[in-house]
Structures are given as structure tokens and as C-alpha cells.
Amino acid sequence: MSDATATHEVPETMWSPTAEQAAGSAVAEFARWVRDQRGVELTSATGRPDTDYAALHAWSVADLEGFWSAIAEFCGVRWHERPERVLGSREMPGAQWFPGGTLNYAEHALTPGPGRADDDVAVVFAREDGLERTVTHRELRDQVARARAGLVAAGVGKGDRVVALAPNSVETLVVFLAAASLGATWSSCSPDFGVRAVRDRFAQVEPTVLLAVDGYRYGGKSFDILPTVSALRAELPTLRATVLVPYLDPGAELAGATPWAEFTAQAGPLEFEPVPFDHPLWVLYSSGTTGLPKGIVHGHGGIVVEHLKALRLQTDLAPGDRFFWFSTTGWMMWNFLIGGLLVGATVVLYDGSPGHPDLDALWALAERHRVTVFGTSAPFVQSCLKAGLRPRDTHDLTGMRALGSTGAPLSPEGFRWIADAAGEHIQICSVSGGTDVCAAFLCSSPTVPVWLGELSVAALGADVHSFDEDGADLVDEVGELVITQPMPSMPVRFWDDPDGTRLREAYYADYPGLWRHGDWVRATPRGSFVIYGRSDSTLNRGGVRMGTADFYAVVEAFDGVADSLVIDTTELGAKDEGALLCFLVLAPGTALEDVEPLLRKALRSELSPRHVPDRFVVVDSVPRTLNGKKCEVPVKKILAGVSLEKAVSRDALQDPGSLRPFLELAGRV
Ligand SMILES: CC(=O)CC(=O)O
């Protein structure tokens, strides 16, 4: 694959830790700890092995057992039964982590530890209409114990499934922790999901209890979802109870449902069922644009050690920090966000539109609640940039030390905007991984600089490679992102995939025994990475292949372009065979004639003449999944003549109507 943007020069440094910051970080403390406690002498050329991330990473993948056992001990994993060893089998798929060990996720989130006192705030909750609430660690434990008693009364035990059609709110978190404490398995959908999308997910896991709200607020409007909840209950015959949180209307009721107040009326004991390391903690779902969404099962232990590592070491999160990431309960970033509790940080939950009443809302929230680590998506950064926002001029963001971005590659302009408009003191943590591992393969470290347009490092314990088609390593060339050794948070299995066929097909078909993630990536000689988009939606122009992220970075840098979607129909025998099509959502007041010549010129000079689209087509909106990802592959299929039903599950989309122009183009309406 060629890479038209790679200059092979070291890009501008956007942020760099001071020597004191680096040495004072938890990751440096960990490096000193492994030297002192485990006798690991890191091979470092810098003279400061504790802040030499490359040396630590090299050890973490050369000695997986040593590394993950050190993480478990350094981060204080609470074993009930101690594991016999770290890795039983290391074969992928099917690696056996910490066999014999038992533990419980909820115990890690709820047990007081150094630096977190009972009366410290565990959770800050804010809703877009101004409703706010804080919950201390003591209150959170009490609430979880009550919900646990409620679940027990409903007959929930180890291995049962508890599902939630509920927002990013305190009640949702409480019931998740209560379910986990019992060894029950959790699954959640955001309340804006339609009945079919929720049924396609929840019916698979045959839940015992459903947690639901009466409605939600988004973009200044209230949405009553009681009809959805009723319809859903009718489709889930295994349900023994529905718990209703009166989230919008304090008087809301649903026949046959247990009101929240009644469900949590009993003060119960807070106990933690010890479960095996790979016992199902939750089921997440693959984006599910076609067929039934795949249920990705993660284990208690895998998530505990992965999130401890990611949050304590890579993010430097600790008690006293306030951790925010904009997410709904239908995206894995919710699961990652609440992991802040594992390291004693305060988690800041936000429910609503990130753009209501305007794009300032989350920056105001960050100031009001003194957020220290602020997470968002690359499209949100792009929107703020386009809107000309300068939050540093209107808010005190001096306490914000890191800004995380994910969901799509963050453009170089996005990096510049964060430094310029939010603050150059902020470490830009562009991270990439996926629902599949509920984690990032590529991320940041408090000991490593941030280079323009790059993800600073491969995560510790993640053996990340860029491979060519023959499985040879590439440096400074774009290849397939491949993980060559097991990680503890890889799926324990897919739901209802008894012989593992679907799991193998999803990740292990191309490079047997190795995890192919489906992203284009360039590994730089500095140890940093650049993501070029999904490898299954490549732009292939006369053999010159490029990820779509490059394309969007050029096109969406124009003020007149609000959103875009690029589809290369070359390889699909599509109706428009061989055409590169660029769909544009134009900003108000912009005409295609104004921007098209400029876009052609910019794409020609910044990418290549082959990447100038054959046609630009104006559309009202870009089809996105419920998690906000652009539907490149489904649209490509529609244009190739695949039937709508096979190309995409309409209920998995934010706005199924957004498909219409593509169906028209394919001559289907
Ligand atoms: C960490 C991630 O990879 C999140 C996402 O983009 O879904």
C-alpha cells in the first residue's frame, strides 16, 4: 500500500513531558518497581531506563508473563484464589490467562484503596438539561449493595444476564456493578437505539433482568421510550423482571415493572462473588452493520488487568483525577470510562448531546467539574475546530492535563486545534483499538512526546505490527495492523459461537494464529503510529491504495464541508465501476461549485492525482452507525448492487433515511 502523506520526516512535537513529569509518572514508577521487585534490567540507551518507554515496551512483549504478573501485583489485583501461572496456553485464539485465579471486577471498583476516602466523590453525573449529581464512594457502595439485593430478589445469580436500555447515568453504573459483584453478565444499549437494534443484541444473550428508563433527553428534546421498552419486553421471553428508572418523569410507571425506588429499597450486603479470570463480565457488540451483531464476551480478569494498565500507566490516572470521556452506554468507551473507578479516579458521566445547547457544553462541564483527563471523539474535535471555538479563552482549562481522542483518526489540524485552542500544556492522547478488546492497541504514555498526527506509542503488552500481505514487518510504510501475541482483554469468545468459527473468521483468517485488526497503520521508527482508516474500505486507485482517513483529513479541513464519505467502487464491479465517489455534506451557505475546484486541487496536491474523485455528490447527511462510525463498507456494498438487507441492518444506523441517496444512485429507488 502506498502512503502519499508519509514524508518520513519527524513531525513537529506538539507536547513533551518535562524530565520531572516523566520520572514522576506511574509508568516510570512501574519501571523502577519491576527493576527493584523483579530484577528486570531494561535495556535502555537513554541512561534513564525508568522513563525509556521503548525499553519498557520491548520487555512487556518479550516477557508477557513477567509483564502481566507485574501489572497484577503493582496495580493491586485482588485475587481470591491465586492463579497457578500467568499464561496457560498462549495460542491465539484461545490463550489461557491466569488459570486457576479468581477475582471480581466490582471489588476493584468499589474497595477503598490508598488515596480514596469514603467521602471522596466517586462519580459526577451531568445531564444536558442541567441536572447534576455527585456520588461519594460510600454512597456508591451503598447503592450497589441495594441494587445487588434487588437483583438477588429477582433471582439473578452467577452467569445470568442483566441488560440495560439506559443512559450514561448513575443508576446504570450502579446496576452494572451490582450485576458484576454477583458474577452476572452485563450488556447495555443506549436508549436512542431502536427496538430492533436492541432486540438483535439482547435477545441473543437471553437476559433475566432488564434495566430501563422511561425516556431520555437529547439535543434539547425529551424522548419517551416506554413504548420501546414494552415492545422489547415482549421480545425477551427469558426476562424475570424489568426495573424502571423514572429518568425523565418522576411519576413514570410501566405495568409489571419494578420501580427503581422499590428495587433499591433493601440495604443488602456488599459481597463479591469470586469468579474465574475468564468469567464473562459483559457482552459488547461488533458494529453490526450487517447480520446480527456479534456478541463479544470479555472476562472479569482480562478487563481488570487491561484497564488497570491502560488507565494507571498509559493515562497516569490516580485518586484525585477527574476522568471524563464522552460516550453512551452503547459504545465501549463507556466501559473504559467507568474503569476510572478501578484506579480510584472520579468518573464524570455525561448524558446528552455533546453539541447542546452548543459545542461549548463539554468544555464548560470540564471547567465546572475540574476534569483532568478529558476524552472525546475525533469528529467532535473537528466540529469544534470548524466552529472556531477557543475554549481556553472562555474556560479555565489549566487543570486539564490530557485530552483523549478516538473513534476515528485525529487529523493533524485536530492536533493543532487542541494545542492552540484548548492549551499547549495538554497532552494529546490519540488512541486506537476497538470494541473487540475494549482497549487501545495504540495510545499515549506520560513519558513520551506527542508528534503531530501520530499516536505516540503501542500499548504495553500489545505486540503491534504493521504487516505486508506476506506477513513481513513494515517500518514507515503502511500495512495491516496485526497483533502477534495474546492480550488478556481479547474476547473470551463470541456469544453463541460454540466452536469459535466466527471468532476465527473475524480476526484470524488472514494471518493464521495472529490477530488482524482491520486497520491500516504505519509504524514509525520513533515507536509512534499513524492510523489510515479501516483496511476493508481502502481507496484503491490504479493499484495505489490509501486509507480513507487521509482523504477525510484533506476534504474536511475545508470550512464549507461539514462531513464527507468517500467510496472507491473499483474492486466491487459496482454500477459506477471504477469510480471514486465523494459524498459531501456542505456547510450552510456553501455551494458545490464553490468548493469542488478547491477540493480537487487540494486532493491532487496533498494526496495524488489518482485520488481526485470522479464525482462529488451532495447529500444531507453521512450514514453513521449508532456509535457514530461512517458506514463506508455498507454504502460500498449498496453501490455494488448488494441488497439493502444484506448490506446493512437499518436499525444499526443513526438515521436510516441517510441511505436514500445511495440507494437512488444504485438505481434502487
Ligand atoms: C479505543 C477505540 O478504538 C474506540 C473506537 O474507536 O471505537
Side-chain angles (χ1 to χ4, degrees):
M1 174 162 177
S2 91
D3 166 17
T5 60
T7 59
H8 304 280
E9 284 168 12
V10 180
E12 189 181 325
T13 303
M14 305 301 292
W15 174 91
S16 212
T18 62
E20 294 72 38
Q21 278 172 331
S25 66
V27 71
E29 190 191 336
F30 175 70
R32 293 190 292 271
W33 185 90
V34 293
R35 179 198 59 201
D36 298 343
Q37 302 298 320
R38 299 285 175 95
V40 175
E41 292 297 342
L42 297 175
T43 314
S44 166
T46 67
R48 277 304 300 258
D50 61 336
T51 56
D52 185 341
Y53 186 88
L56 186 63
H57 183 268
W59 168 70
S60 76
V61 293
D63 181 5
L64 279 191
E65 299 204 46
F67 171 69
W68 287 105
S69 83
I71 288 289
E73 192 176 339
F74 178 77
C75 296
V77 166
R78 294 169 171 268
W79 298 112
H80 286 249
E81 297 290 327
R82 295 201 68 79
E84 293 137 25
R85 55 178 307 174
V86 178
L87 256 175
S89 154
R90 57 189 305 144
E91 202 172 309
M92 288 197 285
Q96 220 192 351
W97 286 98
F98 294 97
T102 62
L103 75 176
N104 189 294
Y105 174 100
E107 184 168 8
H108 294 79
L110 292 168
T111 304
R116 70 177 142 177
D118 277 357
D119 293 324
D120 287 344
V121 174
V123 184
V124 173
F125 166 71
R127 198 163 78 174
E128 67 161 42
D129 60 359
L131 181 75
E132 295 204 341
R133 175 180 173 195
T134 57
V135 182
T136 65
H137 287 284
R138 189 197 312 277
E139 289 163 343
L140 183 62
R141 281 199 298 278
D142 174 64
Q143 283 288 303
V144 173
R146 288 170 181 277
R148 186 179 193 277
L151 289 176
V152 170
V156 173
K158 187 172 162 186
D160 287 337
R161 272 78 60 202
V162 174
V163 297
L165 182 60
N168 185 2
S169 68
V170 176
E171 293 83 358
T172 311
L173 173 63
V174 161
V175 178
F176 158 63
L177 290 171
S181 77
L182 288 163
T185 302
W186 173 259
S187 202
S188 56
C189 284
S190 172
D192 55 346
F193 282 29
V195 181
R196 200 178 123 190
V198 186
R199 188 219 39 216
D200 284 354
R201 287 162 173 75
F202 289 171
Q204 294 188 53
V205 300
E206 302 182 308
T208 304
V209 168
L210 167 69
L211 172 77
V213 288
D214 58 327
Y216 65 95
R217 286 190 67 80
Y218 194 87
K221 295 198 192 108
S222 295
F223 296 87
D224 172 10
I225 64 156
L226 285 177
T228 306
V229 178
S230 297
L232 185 63
R233 285 168 80 197
E235 305 236 24
L236 299 175
T238 53
L239 280 185
R240 276 189 238 140
T242 300
V243 178
L244 186 75
V245 178
Y247 188 64
L248 275 189
D249 170 7
E253 284 179 8
L254 183 67
T258 312
W260 175 256
E262 190 181 317
F263 175 68
T264 52
Q266 289 283 328
L270 184 58
E271 287 164 2
F272 303 101
E273 175 74 25
V275 294
F277 196 84
D278 60 358
H279 182 76
L281 172 64
W282 56 49
V283 182
L284 306 182
Y285 301 91
S286 69
S287 55
T289 46
T290 52
L292 274 189
K294 293 185 201 81
I296 297 168
V297 182
H298 291 129
H300 275 244
I303 294 298
V304 166
V305 294
E306 172 57 44
H307 285 187
L308 284 172
K309 176 210 72 180
L311 293 166
R312 179 133 178 228
L313 301 194
Q314 313 279 173
T315 319
D316 213 25
L317 214 59
D321 269 312
R322 293 199 158 198
F323 180 43
F324 165 78
W325 208 297
F326 178 81
S327 183
T328 69
T329 55
W331 187 26
M332 50 106 356
M333 291 311 295
W334 177 79
N335 307 68
F336 190 74
L337 163 66
I338 60 175
L341 292 173
L342 302 174
V343 295
T346 302
V347 294
V348 179
L349 314 180
Y350 179 80
D351 176 36
S353 161
H356 181 78
D358 51 39
L359 285 169
D360 189 54
L362 297 184
W363 303 104
L365 173 88
E367 178 184 32
R368 201 162 64 248
H369 293 292
R370 304 184 310 283
V371 168
T372 54
V373 177
F374 177 96
T376 183
S377 66
F380 177 77
V381 172
Q382 200 69 17
S383 304
C384 290
L385 179 163
K386 286 264 166 78
L389 232 62
R390 287 189 54 80
R392 72 186 301 171
D393 295 346
T394 44
H395 299 291
D396 178 2
L397 302 179
T398 48
M400 185 184 289
R401 63 178 168 76
L403 191 151
S405 169
T406 192
L410 181 64
S411 66
E413 293 70 27
F415 276 74
R416 283 199 199 288
W417 179 84
I418 294 168
D420 181 44
E424 56 283 306
H425 67 283
I426 297 174
Q427 181 186 9
I428 304 168
C429 307
S430 175
V431 307
S432 185
T435 304
D436 326 75
V437 284
C438 199
F441 301 123
L442 305 173
C443 56
S444 57
S445 165
T447 50
V448 177
V450 175
W451 292 280
L452 181 68
E454 298 188 348
L455 298 87
S456 297
V457 294
L460 295 170
D463 207 350
V464 181
H465 294 255
S466 170
F467 268 9
D468 71 9
E469 281 166 13
D470 301 323
D473 255 309
L474 298 171
V475 177
D476 243 1
E477 277 182 62
V478 183
E480 283 280 357
L481 192 156
V482 174
I483 309 294
T484 58
Q485 299 197 70
M487 290 171 65
S489 73
M490 282 174 172
V492 168
R493 58 186 162 91
F494 279 173
W495 196 267
D496 204 11
D497 180 31
D499 63 0
T501 304
R502 291 171 84 204
L503 184 81
R504 276 194 301 280
E505 276 169 6
Y507 309 111
Y508 299 101
D510 294 299
Y511 303 99
L514 306 178
W515 174 289
R516 186 196 75 107
H517 193 60
D519 280 339
W520 288 123
V521 69
R522 175 166 61 92
T524 79
R526 294 171 290 292
S528 55
F529 293 82
V530 181
I531 290 275
Y532 291 84
R534 295 296 293 171
S535 55
D536 48 8
S537 57
T538 309
L539 305 178
N540 185 346
R541 306 299 296 159
V544 181
R545 294 196 286 163
M546 188 177 294
T548 50
D550 285 322
F551 190 92
Y552 298 134
V554 175
V555 171
E556 292 175 20
F558 282 81
D559 285 343
V561 177
D563 205 354
S564 65
L565 182 76
V566 64
I567 305 289
D568 180 4
T569 61
T570 310
E571 288 169 340
L572 287 174
K575 195 170 180 300
D576 238 319
E577 195 161 342
L580 185 65
L581 307 175
C582 176
F583 299 91
L584 295 174
V585 180
L586 297 176
T590 304
L592 182 59
E593 308 82 84
D594 300 336
V595 282
E596 185 174 329
L598 303 174
L599 290 172
R600 286 186 179 280
K601 195 162 165 231
L603 287 163
R604 181 179 299 276
S605 64
E606 291 181 47
L607 298 186
S608 83
R610 294 175 188 221
H611 290 88
V612 177
D614 297 292
R615 277 164 73 190
F616 287 88
V617 181
V618 176
V619 291
D620 288 339
S621 61
V622 165
R624 288 180 183 270
T625 66
L626 292 168
N627 289 338
K629 311 246 177 191
K630 296 186 194 203
C631 290
E632 293 169 335
V633 175
V635 167
K636 198 167 172 174
K637 286 185 181 164
I638 288 172
L639 297 180
V642 174
S643 73
L644 179 61
E645 299 66 44
K646 288 211 172 114
V648 65
S649 160
R650 288 166 60 87
D651 282 341
L653 304 184
Q654 284 179 357
D655 172 17
S658 59
L659 289 175
R660 191 173 171 85
F662 306 98
L663 292 166
E664 281 173 3
L665 202 63
R668 233 86 64 68
V669 280

